[in-house]
């Protein structure tokens, strides 16, 4: 279900520069799902990734605890491909998600599962301050 919603979100990507469409579906601890897509910008650097779009939507709606995220990427009109979250998204996820938070990546045929700890080991977070 989460992967299907991530794919649907990728169809709403605003990606006129890279033509790389990403969708994410974030599951809250309370069972709600928030989706997000990448939103690019002519300045490039102001681009927001799909994962952060989903997370910021959820946090701005009052959610603070999360269980899992599914991510789907594909060139516009192309096949799905594994799309690991970028470093900035991993760091932003670590602000709200525990080490056992689940990250699902799929290319439509096979799905890879990682914990946040696996993708961002030895992270800098609030415990370090
Ligand atoms: N992108 C995401 O949305 N999530 C990722 O995990 C990796 C990259 C977006 C950013 C940009 O719009 C496009 O993919 C190409 O980098």
């Amino acid at each position: 279900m989460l992967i299907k919603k991530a794919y649907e979100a990728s169809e709403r990507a605003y990606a006129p520069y890279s033509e790389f469409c990403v969708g994410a579906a974030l599951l809250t601890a309370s069972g709600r799902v928030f989706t997000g897509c990448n939103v690019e910008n002519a300045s490039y650097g102001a681009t927001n990734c799909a994962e952060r779009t989903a997370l910021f939507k959820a946090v701005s709606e009052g959610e603070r605890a999360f269980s899992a995220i599914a991510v789907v990427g594909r060139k516009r009109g192309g096949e799905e491909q594994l799309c690991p979250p970028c470093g900035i998204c991993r760091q932003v996820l670590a602000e709200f998600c525990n080490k056992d938070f689940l990250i699902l990546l799929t290319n439509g045929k096979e799905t890879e599962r990682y914990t946040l700890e696996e993708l961002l080991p030895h992270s800098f977070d609030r415990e370090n301050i």
Side-chain angles (χ1 to χ4, degrees):
M1 181 276 281
L2 219 50
I3 288 171
K4 182 168 179 285
K5 283 190 176 294
Y7 186 85
E8 288 168 3
S10 77
E11 293 180 318
R12 298 189 286 274
Y14 177 74
Y17 305 106
S18 72
E19 297 276 318
F20 190 68
C21 301
V22 186
L26 176 69
L27 179 65
T28 71
S30 60
R32 297 173 73 190
V33 176
F34 288 83
T35 61
C37 63
N38 51 332
V39 182
E40 296 190 343
N41 187 276
S43 76
Y44 291 21
T47 291
N48 207 61
C49 290
E51 297 92 323
R52 275 175 288 147
T53 302
L55 184 71
F56 292 156
K57 281 171 66 179
V59 171
S60 67
E61 294 295 322
E63 298 290 344
R64 293 290 186 274
F66 304 97
S67 306
I69 193 168
V71 187
V72 173
R74 60 193 168 85
K75 267 286 183 186
R76 188 177 303 289
E79 297 280 299
E80 293 163 61
Q81 57 191 75
L82 296 175
C83 179
C86 78
I88 295 173
C89 287
R90 294 177 198 201
Q91 180 67 30
V92 172
L93 286 166
E95 184 68 26
F96 295 96
C97 306
N98 296 331
K99 294 182 188 312
D100 62 352
F101 176 79
L102 190 61
I103 297 163
L104 301 172
L105 311 178
T106 188
N107 60 11
K109 299 175 196 76
E110 48 201 356
T111 300
E112 295 184 355
R113 302 160 59 103
Y114 298 95
T115 63
L116 184 57
E117 168 75 350
E118 287 173 322
L119 294 192
L120 191 66
H122 309 294
S123 64
F124 181 88
D125 57 33
R126 72 184 82 84
E127 306 287 315
N128 299 104
I129 297 175

